[in-house]
Amino acid sequence: MTKYVPALVTGSVVSVAISFVLGLAASASGQPPSLSTWLPGMIFGVITAFVMANLVGTKGSKAATPAQKEAALAFRAEPGQALLIVFREGFVGKAVGLNLMLDGVAAAQLKSPRFTALSIAPGAHTLSAGFGGLAASQNRPVEEAFTAAAGDLVAFRAVMSMGMAKNTIRLERVDDRASLASKLKAMIMVAPHAPAGAATQQV
């Protein structure tokens, strides 16, 4: 819970500040304190705290170099490797970083619209996507198993579907290279995290 303290403090400050200003305005006009004096401040304070709590865990991701993006758009993997591309689009939770894990190792974090690309070893892999912070309790994470051969291009589109109780994250396989290239060209590419082992490496 300590990770949410800054969000709660900021929300409280916003609430007090707005209520104070509205209280001064009411006093200046000769109106007695009322529900309308502190309710707006409370509402905006709660909204501020909620938004900031959802952003807990969102990091400033490093943009890829032009050379990395050029290689990704050419769908070139390292010799003897396969190329994995994951992109995110859509407006739901776009400012909250979506954590990507490949075989249990952190691969990248994507806001929307963003993409990342990794050269991966041939064989079976598991890609997972999920949020941190308060957003984790509102969105179901997802896992997708796939197998890649040397020279393969494996691409997934990460999207979110609204639900009654929880939103659902989906990883959709994309096979149309022309459509994929068109989408990625307009997006910022996020550099993948430094590999922890030999399973993945930056393009």
Side-chain angles (χ1 to χ4, degrees):
M1 288 299 294
T2 55
K3 62 184 178 182
Y4 298 123
V5 169
L8 295 173
V9 170
T10 303
S12 298
V13 170
V14 168
S15 179
V16 170
I18 293 176
S19 297
F20 178 74
V21 171
L22 292 178
L24 286 180
S27 297
S29 62
Q31 297 177 0
S34 65
L35 183 65
S36 61
T37 302
W38 56 267
L39 186 57
M42 178 179 290
I43 292 173
F44 278 102
V46 169
I47 292 173
T48 300
F50 179 77
V51 171
M52 290 191 64
N54 274 286
L55 291 174
V56 169
T58 297
K59 305 170 185 176
S61 298
K62 181 182 176 181
T65 65
Q68 286 177 312
K69 184 172 181 179
E70 181 183 359
L73 293 178
F75 303 138
R76 294 196 306 265
E78 296 293 325
Q81 302 281 295
L83 179 64
L84 172 65
I85 290 179
V86 185
F87 67 99
R88 184 181 171 200
E89 57 184 1
F91 292 97
V92 180
K94 65 179 297 181
V96 183
L98 180 67
N99 298 312
L100 302 177
M101 305 276 289
L102 183 65
D103 302 329
V105 178
Q109 187 181 86
L110 297 180
K111 295 180 183 179
S112 178
R114 298 283 192 277
F115 81 96
T116 193
L118 306 96
S119 285
I120 61 174
H125 298 280
T126 300
L127 176 67
S128 60
F131 290 105
L134 189 62
S137 64
Q138 305 165 55
N139 299 272
R140 293 186 178 89
V142 64
E143 281 192 356
E144 192 73 29
F146 66 94
T147 301
D152 279 354
L153 167 65
V154 180
F156 288 99
R157 171 177 176 254
V159 293
M160 292 173 57
S161 298
M162 300 292 288
M164 291 294 292
K166 280 191 174 185
N167 300 329
T168 300
I169 304 167
R170 302 196 318 273
L171 291 172
E172 301 175 345
R173 188 76 176 258
V174 178
D175 296 317
D176 185 340
R177 292 195 174 201
S179 173
L180 179 63
S182 177
K183 285 180 179 290
L184 299 184
K185 187 175 182 180
M187 293 183 185
I188 294 173
M189 178 179 170
V190 173
H193 298 326
T200 66
Q201 60 186 55
Q202 298 184 20
V203 172

